[in-house]
Amino acid sequence: MAGKVQTSSEARRRAIVSAARAAFLRHGYGNTSMSAIAAKLGGSKTTLWSYFRNKRELFDAVVDDLVERYGDALRLPLRAEADPRETLHAFAVSIITTVTRPQIVALHRMVTGEAGRFPELGRALVERGMRRGQARLAEWIAQQMDRGTLRRADPLLAATHFGGLCQSGAFQHYLLGASERPTPAEIAVEAEAATDVFLRGYAA
C-alpha cells in the first residue's frame, strides 16, 4: 500500500513540474502564478504547496527536470586513459547538442528575458545546470594534467573556457533566432573547432 501511495505522489509531482514547465516557457516566470498552475492541474493551491513551498522552488524543480532529461554531457563517460582529443570532441558534441535542444533554448530565452527582475533565475540555471557539467569536465581535466597530457592550470577555469568555446557559435545564433537549430553534421564541425582551439591553448 505504501508503495502505491509513493508512486501516486511521484506521479503527481511529475505532473506539477510538467505543468509548471509549460507555463513558465509559455508565459514567463513573472506572469505565471501558483494559482494558475494549480488551476491547470485541476487542484488547489494547498495541494500544490504540499509539494513546493513557493514558485522559486518549483522553478528549481523545472530546471532539474530539464537537466536530467537533456543533460547529455552529465552522462557521457569520461575515462582518464582515453584519447584526450576524442574525449573532448565527444564532450563538445554532447554540450552543443544539449544547449541547442529547443526546450533548453526556450529556458535560456525565458531566463535571459527576466533576469533583470528575477536574478535568482539565472543563478539557478548556472548552479543547477552549467556548473554541474563544468565540475565534471574539470575533474577529468585535472586527471589529464596529472597525466601530463594537458598543461598545468586551473582545471575549473579550463573547463569554463571549453564550455565557452562550445557555446560561442551555433548556440548563440539559435538562441537569438538568427539561425535554425544546427544539424548533427554542423554540430560535429563546431565541436572539432572547439576541441582544436582548446588543445592549442592547453595541450602539454
Side-chain angles (χ1 to χ4, degrees), residues 76-136:
L76 184 75
L78 294 175
R79 299 190 303 276
E81 68 279 6
D83 178 76
R85 178 176 287 275
E86 291 180 1
T87 301
L88 286 168
H89 182 268
F91 201 81
V93 168
S94 70
I95 290 176
I96 301 169
T97 299
T98 295
V99 298
T100 56
R101 290 185 183 277
Q103 300 86 345
I104 301 299
V105 168
L107 177 65
H108 275 269
R109 286 173 176 165
M110 188 270 286
V111 170
T112 300
E114 303 204 48
R117 295 171 59 204
F118 306 103
E120 65 271 19
L121 303 185
R123 289 192 291 269
L125 184 57
V126 170
E127 293 168 3
R128 309 179 87 88
M130 294 157 61
R131 282 186 181 162
R132 290 177 61 190
Q134 288 172 350
R136 190 162 181 265

Side-chain angles (χ1 to χ4, degrees), residues 4 9 16-17 20 59 64 70-72 81 104 114 129 136 172 196:
K4 291 183 179 180
S9 176
I16 292 171
V17 172
F59 178 79
D64 290 342
Y70 305 115
D72 298 339
E81 68 279 6
I104 301 299
E114 303 204 48
R136 190 162 181 265
Q172 291 295 330
D196 186 61

Side-chain angles (χ1 to χ4, degrees), residues 3-198:
K4 291 183 179 180
V5 172
Q6 180 66 24
T7 300
S8 176
S9 176
E10 290 176 352
R12 185 64 175 172
R13 187 182 190 280
R14 287 196 299 270
I16 292 171
V17 172
S18 179
R21 180 178 67 248
F24 288 147
L25 298 184
R26 185 180 183 88
H27 305 294
Y29 182 82
N31 291 329
T32 298
S33 67
M34 294 288 273
S35 297
I37 294 172
K40 180 70 175 179
L41 291 164
S44 66
K45 285 195 295 183
T46 301
T47 300
L48 184 57
W49 284 334
S50 69
Y51 287 88
F52 300 98
R53 293 171 296 179
N54 51 57
K55 188 166 68 168
R56 168 58 200 279
E57 190 173 286
L58 182 51
F59 178 79
D60 288 348
V62 168
V63 173
D64 290 342
D65 179 63
L66 285 169
V67 170
E68 290 302 319
R69 285 172 181 267
Y70 305 115
D72 298 339
L74 297 176
R75 293 183 287 271
L76 184 75
L78 294 175
R79 299 190 303 276
E81 68 279 6
D83 178 76
R85 178 176 287 275
E86 291 180 1
T87 301
L88 286 168
H89 182 268
F91 201 81
V93 168
S94 70
I95 290 176
I96 301 169
T97 299
T98 295
V99 298
T100 56
R101 290 185 183 277
Q103 300 86 345
I104 301 299
V105 168
L107 177 65
H108 275 269
R109 286 173 176 165
M110 188 270 286
V111 170
T112 300
E114 303 204 48
R117 295 171 59 204
F118 306 103
E120 65 271 19
L121 303 185
R123 289 192 291 269
L125 184 57
V126 170
E127 293 168 3
R128 309 179 87 88
M130 294 157 61
R131 282 186 181 162
R132 290 177 61 190
Q134 288 172 350
R136 190 162 181 265
L137 180 60
E139 182 178 355
W140 178 86
I141 287 175
Q143 293 174 338
Q144 297 308 307
M145 291 175 178
D146 290 340
R147 292 168 63 89
T149 59
L150 296 179
R151 68 174 177 82
R152 184 64 62 183
D154 182 335
L156 184 56
L157 180 59
T160 302
H161 287 161
F162 188 71
L165 289 168
C166 294
Q167 297 181 56
S168 63
F171 169 66
Q172 291 295 330
H173 295 163
Y174 186 29
L175 177 69
L176 297 173
S179 68
E180 299 296 322
R181 186 185 182 195
T183 66
E186 290 169 336
I187 289 174
V189 170
E190 188 159 310
E192 182 63 33
T195 300
D196 186 61
V197 172
F198 180 82

